[in-house]
Amino acid sequence: MSTDSVKPLLEGIDEREQAMADQAELVRAQINELTTRLGELDEHLEHLRITHKTILALR
C-alpha cells in the first residue's frame, strides 16, 4: 500500500476518532450533570424521610 493511498484512510480514522472523543466528552458532561442531580434528589428524599419519621414520632 502506498503512502498516497494510506493517507485518506488515516485522515478518515483521525476524523472518526475526534468525533468519538467529542461524543465521549459530551456523555461525560451529561453523566456529571446527572450525578449532581441525583445527589440533590437523594438529599431531598432523605429530608422527606426524616420529616416523615419526625411526624410519626410526634403522634
Side-chain angles (χ1 to χ4, degrees):
M1 203 178 260
S2 71
T3 303
D4 290 338
S5 63
V6 173
K7 188 175 180 179
L9 178 61
L10 292 174
E11 288 172 353
I13 290 172
D14 287 343
E15 289 174 11
R16 183 70 180 135
E17 183 180 3
Q18 185 59 53
M20 292 186 79
D22 292 345
Q23 288 179 1
E25 187 57 36
L26 178 62
V27 170
R28 280 187 198 93
Q30 292 171 338
I31 288 170
N32 286 335
E33 289 174 22
L34 290 171
T35 299
T36 298
R37 181 68 179 131
L38 180 58
E40 293 168 353
L41 290 170
D42 283 340
E43 183 179 348
H44 289 294
L45 183 57
E46 184 60 22
H47 291 167
L48 288 172
R49 287 179 178 146
I50 291 167
T51 301
H52 186 254
K53 286 180 182 181
T54 301
I55 291 171
L56 287 175
L58 294 174
R59 295 189 344 177

